[in-house]
Amino acid sequence: MKPAFVLIAAAVMFAPAALACESYVADVNKAGLAVKAANNERMAVQIQFEDAEAGRGELRREIDAKGNTPARQAELDRYKAAIRKAELAWTDRQPEWDAAEAELVTAIAAHEGACGANSRTGVLLGGLGLKLNR
């Protein structure tokens, strides 16, 4: 009977630590999802910028070849406005994106501090489609 008691006592002693680690895992997952959402937003803004830049460049070549018209100038102005809008969106959102990344780094540090640095952190981030560069 004594060995069974020791196993039960050991399980009771380690259960709080395991539960604490699970709460840190939840924090890492939450922060990781926020970073993933931020990366998706960042990519969408980048694509808007690149599409507007490409359109403007194509229109510029057309203007160089055929000359400018009021319609082409209006289209060029729309591309310039789209580029500026993307630049402002990037500038406005950058602090939030940086904060999400900082929160993830903090959550990872807390997880590794409480649960020990292990490959599970990499697995957590890999499951979210993120990579940790240290």
Side-chain angles (χ1 to χ4, degrees), residues 45-107:
V45 171
Q46 181 69 29
I47 289 169
Q48 290 170 358
F49 177 82
E50 289 173 357
D51 287 349
E53 279 279 319
R56 182 178 72 168
E58 187 176 316
L59 183 60
R60 280 270 185 214
R61 285 187 292 280
E62 184 179 327
I63 289 171
D64 289 345
K66 299 178 183 177
N68 202 359
T69 65
R72 287 187 186 121
Q73 186 60 48
E75 189 177 356
L76 186 61
D77 291 342
R78 283 191 298 275
Y79 282 125
K80 287 179 181 179
I83 290 167
R84 184 67 183 141
K85 181 180 175 184
E87 289 171 342
L88 288 174
W90 188 280
T91 302
D92 289 345
R93 301 288 294 155
Q94 186 66 45
E96 292 175 41
W97 298 335
D98 291 345
E101 290 174 357
E103 188 175 326
L104 177 60
V105 169
T106 301

Side-chain angles (χ1 to χ4, degrees), residues 1 8 11 13 22 24 35 37 41 47-48 53 61 73 75 87 95-96 113-114 118 123:
M1 292 265 203
I8 292 171
M13 286 181 2
E22 288 308 311
Y24 287 110
V35 167
E41 286 181 40
I47 289 169
Q48 290 170 358
E53 279 279 319
R61 285 187 292 280
Q73 186 60 48
E75 189 177 356
E87 289 171 342
E96 292 175 41
N118 57 31
V123 171

Side-chain angles (χ1 to χ4, degrees), residues 4-32:
F5 176 73
V6 171
L7 289 175
I8 292 171
V12 169
M13 286 181 2
F14 290 118
L19 292 175
C21 281
E22 288 308 311
S23 95
Y24 287 110
V25 168
D27 291 345
V28 170
N29 277 329
K30 180 181 173 189

